[in-house]
Amino acid sequence: MKMGIIGVGSVGSAIAMAAASRARVREVVLVDRNRARAKAVATDMHYGEALSPLVTIRDGDYVDLADAGLAVITAGINEKAGGATDRSDPAGRLRLLDANVAVFRDIVPRLVKAAPQAVIVVATDPPEPLADVARHLAGHDRIVDAGTYLDSLRFRLHIAERLGVGPDSVEANVVGEHGTSSVFLWSSARIGGMPVRELLGRRKIEFATFRKDVEQDVRFANITIIEGIGASQYGIGMVCARIAEVILGDERAVFPVGSYNPRFGTTVSLPSIVGRQGVIEVLEPEMSDDERQGLERGAARLRETVGKYLSR
C-alpha cells in the first residue's frame, strides 16, 4: 500500500493531501528535483498524520520508491507556465508536450530502475501522449493516465446541476483525449436509466443549447480555475488519489482512464476495469456514429502527434 508522487507542485501536493485524507494508502513518498520542497510538504503534512490513521508521508529520492505499488508522475510544465490557457487554441494541452517529453525522458528510466514492478500513473498534461512516451521508456504496459476521468466527473456534475439531481445519479462519460478533441457521449448519458435527451425533451429543454453550454463549461473548466488560483489541482488530486487506492486495493473499479489501445495504435481514454496491474480490460460504451467518428479522429490526431517522439 505504498505510493510515490514524483513532482511536488500544486498537483502533486493535492494528490498527497487527498491520499492522506482518504486514509486508504499506508505510505506516500514525495520525490521532487527540489528536495527541500518535498521535505517541506512532507513535514507540513506529517503533523496531521494523527488525524489520518495508518498513513505515513515522507520525502525521498527514487531509491525510496522501491516496493511501491504505483507512482504518480505530476512533474512538468503546467498549462499556465506553458501557455496553454487560450480557449481558442486548437492545440490546447498538446502545446505542453515538447517540454514535458524531455521531463519524462529523465524521470521514467529512474523510476523504472527503482521500482520496476510499479504501475505508473500519468497526471502531467497532456496525459495520453505522455502515457505513450512513458510506455515506450518503461518497456512495459503498466501505464495508466488520469485521462478523461476528471472530464467525466465534470460532465456529470454540470448535467446534474442543470437538471436538479445529485451527480452520482448521472451516468455519462467523456472519452478520447483529455484535451480539445475529447468526445462527450451524450448518446449513452443517463439519469436513473433514462436517457438525458429524453429527460430534456420531457422538460421541454432544447438539447442543442443544453449540450453547448455543458460542453463549454467542461472543456474550459481548467482555464477558469487557472484564472482564479493559478493551477487546476484539487479535482485532479482527488481523482489520482482514487486511482491509486483502486490499484493498490485491486478493486476492479470501472472509470474512464487512458491506456495504450492496439486498435487505435495510441493511448486513448475509455471506461476501463482498473486493478493491481493497472488497466485490466477496456470497455467500449454505446456510441452514436458521430461520437465514434469523433473518437477515431481524436485518436488519429494523438497517434500522429506522439509518433515523432517515439521514433527518436
Side-chain angles (χ1 to χ4, degrees):
M1 299 299 288
K2 174 180 175 180
M3 69 178 289
I5 299 174
I6 303 173
V8 192
S10 298
V11 173
S13 298
I15 294 171
M17 179 60 74
S21 299
R22 296 180 71 93
R24 300 282 295 276
V25 176
R26 292 292 300 274
E27 182 178 1
V28 180
V29 180
L30 306 181
V31 178
D32 194 275
R33 63 179 180 177
N34 181 349
R35 183 66 179 266
R37 177 178 177 81
K39 183 175 180 60
V41 172
T43 301
D44 195 8
M45 294 183 66
H46 176 66
Y47 290 118
E49 284 180 12
L51 302 178
S52 296
L54 303 178
V55 178
T56 298
I57 301 163
R58 63 188 179 93
D59 66 294
D61 206 335
Y62 287 90
V63 67
D64 298 298
L65 299 176
D67 301 323
L70 86 158
V72 185
I73 303 178
T74 75
I77 302 300
N78 66 17
E79 291 159 294
K80 184 174 182 179
T85 56
D86 182 350
R87 289 175 172 81
S88 64
D89 184 0
R93 296 174 180 87
L94 293 178
R95 191 164 297 283
L96 309 175
L97 187 56
D98 199 52
N100 287 338
V101 165
V103 173
F104 270 52
R105 284 179 174 152
D106 174 59
I107 288 174
V108 175
R110 299 168 73 182
L111 168 56
V112 172
K113 182 179 179 180
Q117 301 305 314
V119 175
I120 297 174
V121 178
V122 176
T124 305
D125 283 327
E128 286 84 17
L130 287 173
D132 271 339
V133 170
R135 176 176 177 267
H136 178 73
L137 293 169
H140 64 69
D141 289 328
R142 297 187 310 280
I143 312 294
V144 179
D145 74 76
T148 58
Y149 193 177
L150 180 56
D151 301 275
S152 297
L153 295 177
R154 290 169 173 168
F155 187 25
R156 297 168 196 173
L157 179 66
H158 282 290
I159 290 174
E161 287 183 340
R162 284 170 168 83
L163 295 180
V165 301
D168 58 346
S169 299
V170 180
E171 180 183 351
N173 289 305
V174 179
V175 299
E177 175 201 7
H178 178 57
T180 57
S181 73
S182 59
V183 178
F184 293 71
L185 300 186
W186 288 99
S187 65
S188 57
R190 284 169 169 72
I191 297 175
M194 175 181 283
V196 168
R197 290 193 67 162
E198 186 175 326
L199 181 57
L200 291 173
R202 174 185 289 188
R203 296 189 181 182
K204 301 188 182 333
I205 299 172
E206 183 186 29
F207 173 68
T209 300
F210 185 91
R211 174 179 182 170
K212 179 181 177 181
D213 290 345
V214 168
E215 291 193 9
Q216 180 165 312
D217 282 347
V218 174
R219 288 188 191 280
F220 301 126
N222 61 309
I223 296 177
T224 301
I225 293 166
I226 290 167
E227 289 170 345
I229 61 174
S232 174
Q233 62 204 71
Y234 300 113
I236 191 62
M238 297 166 73
V239 161
C240 287
R242 175 61 181 147
I243 293 172
E245 69 186 24
V246 166
I247 291 172
L248 294 175
D250 196 25
E251 289 188 28
R252 310 296 177 100
V254 177
F255 40 68
V257 290
S259 64
Y260 180 78
N261 193 309
R263 176 185 164 192
F264 295 106
T266 191
T267 293
V268 293
S269 289
L270 285 165
S272 305
I273 302 173
V274 181
R276 192 176 303 281
Q277 295 302 310
V279 170
I280 298 168
E281 184 179 355
V282 176
L283 308 179
E284 189 167 311
E286 176 187 330
M287 298 184 206
S288 68
D289 290 342
D290 286 346
E291 290 165 350
R292 191 174 304 280
Q293 290 170 12
L295 175 60
E296 291 173 352
R297 285 194 301 270
R301 179 192 188 212
L302 290 171
R303 186 170 59 249
E304 180 182 358
T305 300
V306 77
K308 61 183 179 181
Y309 296 98
L310 304 183
S311 62
R312 294 179 185 175

